Amino acid sequence: MSCIFCKIVSNEIPAKTVYENDYVIAFYDINPITREHILIIPKKHISSIDHISDEDKDISAALFNAVREIVKLKNMQDDGYRIIINNGRAAGQEVFHLHLHLLGGEKNLGPMLSL
Ligand code: 5GP
Ligand code: ZN
């Protein structure tokens, strides 16, 4: 049984796709916390940062390249944006398929959360 983000990769469940290439796909978060809230995920199932392997260098690069491309597409460079990766239980990771939250579309994203 594949995870929910793998099902988005394979089109088994729909998502509002923003960007896609051989390595990654990006789509709107179903429950946005900012005006622009986009999830960027590798197409390959990788559970978390801890599960990235040495063969995944192209994927790691593609994730950050996708950030740059989407920022350009959505004109987010002037106001700025925030990238969050919740990694593991303490960070509240809910979906165990690696994903970057790209948060933007706001004049002020507020302080970075901590305890
Ligand atoms: P996490 O807490 O794991 O960092 O974030 C998981 C994110 O995935 C949450 O912000 C949640 O709203 C989003 N999410 C969960 N299921 C779906 C889904 O089926 N479609 C989309 N587009 N987003 C989802
Ligand atoms: Zn997956």
Side-chain angles (χ1 to χ4, degrees):
M1 197 186 71
S2 63
C3 85
I4 191 148
F5 285 177
C6 282
K7 285 183 177 158
I8 287 176
V9 172
S10 64
N11 275 318
E12 283 171 72
I13 62 166
K16 208 172 155 204
T17 303
V18 178
Y19 176 87
E20 182 173 7
N21 65 26
D22 286 350
Y23 296 108
V24 304
I25 185 166
F27 50 89
Y28 279 104
D29 195 293
I30 206 167
N31 190 17
I33 60 169
T34 51
R35 273 188 206 114
E36 298 282 5
H37 184 170
I38 294 164
L39 301 174
I40 306 169
I41 73 169
K43 286 185 171 175
K44 175 183 173 184
H45 181 87
I46 300 172
S47 307
S48 77
I49 292 180
D50 308 328
H51 298 84
I52 297 175
S53 66
D54 289 341
E55 302 93 73
D56 296 329
K57 286 192 174 67
D58 289 347
I59 296 173
S60 301
L63 289 167
F64 280 103
N65 286 334
V67 172
R68 294 190 301 125
E69 293 298 329
I70 296 161
V71 163
K72 272 189 268 174
L73 278 173
K74 299 288 171 190
N75 276 312
M76 294 164 83
Q77 61 281 348
D78 290 340
D79 286 334
Y81 52 90
R82 180 171 287 150
I83 300 294
I84 292 177
I85 299 176
N86 293 318
N87 204 78
R89 224 169 288 280
Q93 183 177 2
E94 284 173 7
V95 178
F96 282 81
H97 180 130
L98 178 62
H99 53 281
L100 281 64
H101 295 257
L102 169 57
L103 304 172
E106 304 284 346
K107 288 292 171 204
N108 186 347
L109 286 164
M112 191 166 68
L113 284 177
S114 71
L115 291 178

